[in-house]
Amino acid sequence: MRFVVNGSDVDLDFDPRTSLLDLLRERLRLFGAKKGCNQGACGACTVLVDGARINSCLALAVQYQDREITTIEGLGAPGALHPLQAAFVEHDGFQCGYCTPGQICSAVAMAEELKRGVPSYVSEDVAAAGFALTQDELRERMSGNLCRCGAYNGIVDAIQETFAATKPESGKREAAE
Ligand code: FES
Ligand code: FES
């Protein structure tokens, strides 16, 4: 089976019951995405698929063949950090770091959701073309990523600083065909 991970093609044979998280960690040795709960409750395993965030512990790897999979290793690297990674360092957005790759992947996708006009539970106008990164939107949209160290203040500051320029589109979203 063929996968595209962090921009590289990978061909693998594996048990079709394998989760995407296990494929990334056990077969591809990409240890950035973490196994916290392994049941969709903590967000530690968050990765991007075609730019959208998913919990890779709940995803069967076979469903993601030929899709663009991005892990924290594909977002930035030592010496060439993603701006959000640099902001996490600057704002003390982590302590043990276990949740951090998931937090960062999740926030990167969240910023795109705001621009695309994907509403959240706290959005007042669900038909708006885009949303601003308010404190309420940020906290609601990141609520699927838990941090057992309680580094939330730094996490929020880092995300806010990095994506402060995210401005909502004006107008309404086009109705789906
Ligand atoms: S390990 Fe996937 S959500 Fe917790
Ligand atoms: S930094 Fe330790 S769980 Fe978040």
Side-chain angles (χ1 to χ4, degrees):
M1 293 179 231
R2 176 180 175 272
F3 293 87
V4 184
V5 181
N6 297 332
S8 298
D9 286 358
V10 184
D11 281 301
L12 284 172
D13 284 323
F14 59 90
D15 185 325
R17 296 167 294 184
T18 305
S19 72
L20 180 58
L21 178 61
D22 284 343
L23 186 86
L24 294 169
R25 290 181 58 85
E26 309 300 331
R27 296 297 305 276
L28 300 179
R29 316 300 285 171
L30 292 169
F31 297 118
K34 299 294 188 289
K35 187 178 283 187
C37 63
N38 206 28
Q39 56 180 10
C42 74
C45 63
T46 305
V47 300
L48 308 178
V49 176
D50 297 334
R53 51 185 170 171
I54 65 164
N55 289 335
S56 60
C57 70
L58 293 185
L60 274 178
V62 291
Q63 295 177 281
Y64 295 90
Q65 295 174 75
D66 295 320
R67 309 273 298 276
E68 287 278 346
I69 299 163
T70 306
T71 68
I72 191 71
E73 291 90 343
L75 279 183
L81 296 179
H82 184 283
L84 184 56
Q85 290 175 311
F88 264 65
V89 173
E90 185 179 337
H91 290 279
D92 287 333
F94 57 92
Q95 290 179 33
C96 76
Y98 200 81
C99 71
T100 312
Q103 301 276 3
I104 291 175
C105 286
S106 192
V108 166
M110 178 202 65
E112 291 303 311
E113 290 164 16
L114 287 164
K115 280 193 231 163
R116 290 205 320 272
V118 178
S120 78
Y121 179 71
V122 299
S123 303
E124 287 186 13
D125 178 4
V126 296
F131 299 96
L133 183 58
T134 63
Q135 283 281 319
D136 283 350
E137 287 283 7
L138 192 162
R139 289 175 186 275
E140 168 61 22
R141 288 171 188 268
M142 291 299 295
S143 62
N145 288 85
L146 306 183
C147 175
R148 293 197 65 179
C149 296
Y152 292 112
N153 288 342
I155 292 169
V156 167
D157 287 349
I159 295 171
Q160 194 88 57
E161 180 187 89
T162 305
F163 299 116
T166 302
K167 296 278 188 275
E169 301 282 329
S170 55
K172 304 284 184 191
R173 254 178 302 128
E174 298 287 321
E177 302 259 326

